[in-house]
Amino acid sequence: MMARVGVIGLGVMGYRVAANLAKAGLLTGVYNRTRARAEDFRRSYPQVEVFATPSDLADRVDYIITVLSDDNAVSAVVGNLLPHLRGKVLIDMSTISPTTSVSLAKEVSNVGGAMFDAPMMGTSVDVEQKRITVLVGGPKDRYAEVEPILSATSGRVVYVGPNGMGLYMKLAGNMIFAIFMNGLAEAINFALRAGLSPDQIIDLFLNISGTRSPSSSLKLPKMLNSDYSVQFALKHMRKDTEIMIREAQKLGVPVPLTSLASNMFRMSEGLGLGDFDVSAIAEFYRKLSQQR
């Protein structure tokens, strides 16, 4: 019998995850806080049901995928779902605090369900092209159930360890990305102010520099062209860095560069850049230069 899967949260990433599952014939239904977004999804995938509440969805599926914005959103949804999770599997693909996720997993287990943290490494473009890597933490004896579902929307699925470990790996990966985005924006701004042309800067960072990477290939053109259409929102990067700092404090490890990057993202939000792509950090450095 084919797994019945429901998706809660149709944001930039969740919509694309749900679309991949629908194309694979796995998706039973969706729920989104703004119903118009869910109805828009159904117009593209008429075989998928739109549910009025998360509880309604949970009662009709075996596997519930959540793709939500932050700890508070995930905690609220899981809290409301607890009476409906006996015998169910909850797969949270959000990026939240590992501490919060582990606590929620215990609550789900106590009512007879199972929970996995399964954050994504990659952008919305990667989700569309099924190139993301999903990092999974949770009960190993149930992993074989969720792996085929996650494989339907990704290029690679990695079992990392017990609950919370997928999130720790995701945060470590995003930590270097957050720092790199600031470094790339700073270097581009410096090069432009010094008189280098955009073509020279592209050649430098995509062909000459030892720091060339998929991230620079993806974000450098956006920074140079002021194309801040969202692949991964700046406000979510700021949120992730704040989680990193809190978790680092609990672990007793220093994260000075992450703390500095977090401050840069927070100030960028203050300039109204939060809803744009993370590459909009380049605009923050430009604005600082213009004040001279």
Side-chain angles (χ1 to χ4, degrees):
M1 181 178 175
M2 185 169 288
R4 296 180 302 169
V5 182
V7 172
I8 296 174
L10 297 176
V12 172
M13 303 293 272
Y15 193 101
R16 290 160 174 80
V17 167
N20 288 336
L21 295 173
K23 291 171 187 175
L26 294 173
L27 190 64
T28 297
V30 296
Y31 168 81
N32 193 66
R33 185 174 58 181
T34 303
R35 188 179 176 95
R37 178 77 166 167
E39 295 292 352
D40 175 67
F41 183 89
R42 182 162 57 179
R43 279 190 282 274
S44 297
Y45 304 97
Q47 77 276 20
V48 175
E49 187 172 353
V50 172
F51 289 100
T53 69
S55 299
D56 291 340
L57 179 145
D59 288 338
R60 291 283 301 280
V61 302
D62 308 301
Y63 299 88
I64 303 146
I65 293 177
T66 49
V67 194
L68 302 169
S69 59
D70 55 29
D71 287 44
N72 290 337
V74 175
S75 296
V77 167
V78 174
N80 288 331
L81 288 180
L82 284 176
H84 306 266
L85 293 182
R86 178 174 294 277
K88 311 283 185 175
V89 177
L90 177 66
I91 307 167
D92 181 34
M93 299 186 76
S94 321
T95 299
I96 63 171
S97 159
T99 300
T100 298
S101 186
V102 169
S103 177
L104 292 174
K106 290 178 181 176
E107 293 185 46
V108 172
S109 178
N110 288 340
V111 299
M115 178 173 170
F116 289 86
D117 48 283
M120 299 171 267
M121 290 296 295
T123 68
S124 58
V125 175
D126 297 318
V127 181
E128 283 182 359
Q129 299 177 2
K130 296 205 296 187
R131 292 192 319 229
I132 57 166
T133 296
V134 181
L135 306 172
V136 184
K140 190 171 186 179
D141 61 332
R142 305 290 301 270
Y143 172 66
E145 297 176 44
V146 303
E147 192 276 336
I149 296 169
L150 294 172
S151 291
T153 189
S154 65
R156 185 183 181 196
V157 183
V158 179
Y159 179 75
V160 185
N163 286 102
M165 296 308 296
L167 284 163
Y168 278 120
M169 183 176 275
K170 167 67 185 286
L171 291 174
N174 266 17
M175 188 176 289
I176 193 67
F177 181 66
I179 296 166
F180 181 75
M181 282 295 96
N182 273 275
L184 184 61
E186 188 172 307
I188 289 172
N189 190 54
F190 173 83
L192 288 171
R193 295 281 288 190
L196 292 175
S197 71
D199 286 344
Q200 289 173 317
I201 294 170
I202 288 172
D203 190 32
L204 171 63
F205 289 114
L206 298 191
N207 301 312
I208 300 171
S209 172
T211 63
R212 60 189 180 275
S213 68
S215 293
S216 51
S217 297
L218 184 65
K219 298 303 185 183
L220 177 63
K222 292 178 73 65
M223 290 180 173
L224 286 173
N225 296 321
S226 299
D227 170 18
Y228 304 136
S229 55
V230 178
Q231 296 170 336
F232 179 55
L234 187 147
K235 64 183 178 183
H236 295 319
M237 187 78 263
R238 184 269 308 155
K239 178 264 297 181
D240 287 0
T241 59
E242 290 178 349
I243 293 173
M244 295 166 199
I245 293 166
R246 292 197 302 270
E247 292 293 333
Q249 289 172 339
K250 293 173 185 175
L251 294 170
V253 297
V255 285
L257 294 179
T258 303
S259 297
L260 181 59
S262 186
N263 283 332
M264 298 300 104
F265 290 124
R266 190 178 298 111
M267 286 189 282
S268 297
E269 272 195 274
L271 294 175
L273 300 172
D275 289 322
F276 293 102
D277 188 73
V278 66
S279 56
I281 189 69
E283 197 67 24
F284 169 74
Y285 285 94
R286 287 195 188 108
K287 289 181 182 295
L288 289 184
S289 298
Q290 292 166 1
Q291 291 176 5
R292 291 186 56 205

